Amino acid sequence: QVQLVESGGGLVQAGGSLRLSCAASGQIFSINAMHWYRQAPGKQRELVAGIDSGSVTNYADSVKGRFAISRDNAKNTVYLQMNTLKPEDTAVYYCHADVSRTSSRLTYSYWGQGTQVTVSS
């Protein structure tokens, strides 16, 4: 099995910064795309940012220019640097990864448990 463990959430004032981390462990042959999603109370889970195995990135329009996703393949870890935070960024942030557990290249989808980010005005 594979586990994803997020860290780095917390309470921050508007305009501040936070850096989220998500470390994958377990039966991992390779990790393909990695993503950060978020879900605010009463809203659907939405994609925030993604990064593929070649480090090509994509972002939701609402976070472009403020958030940056990166990965360290040696550590099986993905990061989300969040700058100029706004109250509307308040949500539970979830890490997601597409993982190949063997050389067969079959991929499986895994989620972390989520980390709370609260931005006060």
Side-chain angles (χ1 to χ4, degrees):
Q1 282 293 348
V2 174
Q3 297 79 40
L4 301 181
V5 178
E6 300 113 331
S7 60
L11 174 64
V12 64
Q13 288 189 331
S17 297
L18 283 174
R19 188 191 194 210
L20 304 183
S21 300
C22 171
S25 62
Q27 186 183 355
I28 298 172
F29 178 79
S30 64
I31 301 178
N32 302 319
M34 304 184 81
H35 306 91
W36 287 98
Y37 286 77
R38 67 186 180 187
Q39 187 166 20
K43 295 189 177 181
Q44 289 188 332
R45 190 172 297 189
E46 63 174 355
L47 177 66
V48 176
I51 184 167
D52 68 12
S53 57
S55 294
V56 175
T57 60
N58 64 282
Y59 297 93
D61 287 343
S62 59
V63 306
K64 281 181 182 176
R66 300 189 298 122
F67 290 12
I69 188 171
S70 60
R71 63 190 288 171
D72 184 333
N73 292 328
K75 296 181 179 180
N76 290 332
T77 299
V78 64
Y79 305 96
L80 185 68
Q81 178 66 45
M82 305 185 293
N83 299 324
T84 319
L85 282 160
K86 304 176 181 179
E88 51 263 43
D89 294 318
T90 295
V92 178
Y93 283 70
Y94 296 92
C95 173
H96 171 267
D98 292 317
V99 179
S100 294
R101 295 180 357 213
T102 69
S103 59
S104 70
R105 300 295 184 180
L106 288 174
T107 60
Y108 298 86
S109 180
Y110 293 94
W111 291 89
Q113 80 286 354
T115 185
Q116 177 70 46
V117 171
T118 302
V119 184
S120 63
S121 57

